[in-house]
Amino acid sequence: MAGIFDYINRFWAEAERSPFNPTETALYHYLLYEANRLRWNMPFACHTAILCVRLSTTKQNISKARQHLKERGLIEFQAGAGIRTPALYSLSLQSPPQLPQQVTPQLSRVLTVQLTHSNIEDKDKNKDKNIINSQPARDDSYKSLEELESILLADTAWQEQITGLLAKRENSTVNTDQLCRYIRDFFDEQKIGGKGQRDESDCRSHFYHWIVKQLKSNRYGTKRKSAAYSGTDVTAVSAGDYEGAF
């Protein structure tokens, strides 16, 4: 029976033939961890959105990486169909068909240069966008406003990333408690406006631009009255004003 070291050795033997990019390496080792945790009962289920969160990458990168790992003979998978039907994975020790020996080194160098350049470029270009629009643990994107509000309020990792982004981009200090109040205000406005279902990524992006506008308004002295921040005015001026039944 194959053990975990057989799969590790198989991976690095294949990497010597042609290197893997960081996403492929991280994905394979996470799947190896899951297979071991589940006592090697394969195939095993793993949500693509969870992989995105665990590996800090996008659904598109996961799809590309798992296809490359399959082509290299390291895994087999069956694509999922939404949150209720996750993808299924199996690890493999079978070697893929070999390229002609004289072609392999040249192809390896070309792939390494292309993948390295692409990863650096994508990382710089999409870093902030991925933070704002990230959709953890979900494949179906259109949801009701109530469900979206619950998701954003529960997503503490995303909240911390947004507060960090606001500090960097807008020079605004907002803690997570304040951010949650802003989230509630945002959805109160959406509900008043009669909005129906929304795309989760679009909603996260809309909220970010909305809170930037609120913070700028507050900074220049045009802070709006919000139910989440309202207090109760005390009008009594003497002890006699408190007489009577409560």
Side-chain angles (χ1 to χ4, degrees), residues 7-242:
Y7 291 99
I8 293 174
N9 290 337
R10 171 75 180 85
F11 176 86
W12 290 112
E14 181 65 18
E16 287 182 359
R17 187 178 71 84
S18 180
F20 295 96
N21 69 32
T23 302
E24 292 164 359
T25 302
L27 175 59
Y28 181 81
H29 285 83
Y30 185 82
L31 294 176
L32 188 63
Y33 160 80
E34 281 291 290
N36 186 61
R37 184 177 67 85
L38 297 172
R39 300 181 182 276
W40 305 99
N41 292 316
M42 294 189 281
F44 55 91
C46 192
H47 287 283
T48 300
I50 292 178
L51 291 174
C52 292
V53 174
R54 296 288 188 267
L55 305 184
S56 298
T57 189
T58 64
K59 182 178 179 180
Q60 183 180 17
N61 286 342
I62 292 295
S63 296
K64 290 180 179 179
R66 70 183 184 183
Q67 183 61 37
H68 292 163
L69 291 174
K70 180 179 180 179
E71 292 170 359
R72 302 284 291 274
L74 292 172
I75 68 169
E76 293 290 338
F77 72 91
Q78 179 180 339
I83 192 68
R84 295 179 179 82
T85 309
L88 299 176
Y89 294 88
S90 296
L91 301 180
S92 175
L93 292 175
Q94 295 181 0
S95 298
Q98 296 294 315
L99 293 173
Q101 187 173 359
Q102 65 273 20
V103 177
T104 301
Q106 180 181 1
L107 180 59
S108 175
R109 287 193 296 271
V110 171
L111 288 174
T112 301
V113 171
Q114 289 179 343
L115 291 171
T116 301
H117 177 74
S118 177
N119 287 339
I120 293 174
E121 188 178 66
D122 290 345
K123 183 177 180 181
D124 292 339
K125 184 177 180 181
N126 298 324
K127 182 178 179 181
D128 290 347
K129 183 178 179 181
N130 289 340
I131 291 174
I132 295 170
N133 297 346
S134 60
Q135 300 181 25
R138 299 258 175 184
D139 287 331
D140 51 331
S141 59
Y142 280 87
K143 305 174 181 68
S144 68
L145 292 176
E146 289 78 8
E147 186 178 4
L148 288 168
E149 182 176 5
S150 298
I151 291 172
L152 266 62
L153 287 171
D155 193 349
T156 56
W158 177 78
Q159 292 168 20
E160 291 177 359
Q161 292 176 323
I162 291 296
T163 56
L165 199 56
L166 289 171
K168 181 181 72 172
R169 279 190 176 183
E170 309 299 330
N171 197 28
S172 298
T173 303
V174 178
N175 61 39
T176 52
D177 289 337
Q178 292 170 329
L179 187 67
C180 286
R181 290 197 291 271
Y182 276 112
I183 292 173
R184 294 187 180 95
D185 272 0
F186 170 76
F187 280 100
D188 284 344
E189 286 191 2
Q190 301 303 301
K191 293 170 186 175
I192 291 173
K195 301 291 184 181
Q197 288 191 331
R198 293 284 299 274
D199 176 81
E200 184 176 341
S201 177
D202 177 65
C203 187
R204 289 174 185 266
S205 179
H206 186 186
F207 169 75
Y208 176 79
H209 295 294
W210 177 90
I211 192 174
V212 168
K213 182 178 179 181
Q214 304 308 312
L215 293 172
K216 287 181 178 178
S217 297
N218 295 347
R219 188 180 306 162
Y220 295 110
T222 58
K223 183 175 181 180
R224 66 184 179 84
K225 188 72 172 178
S226 168
Y229 302 94
S230 62
T232 302
D233 296 332
V234 178
T235 58
V237 295
S238 67
D241 292 326
Y242 290 101

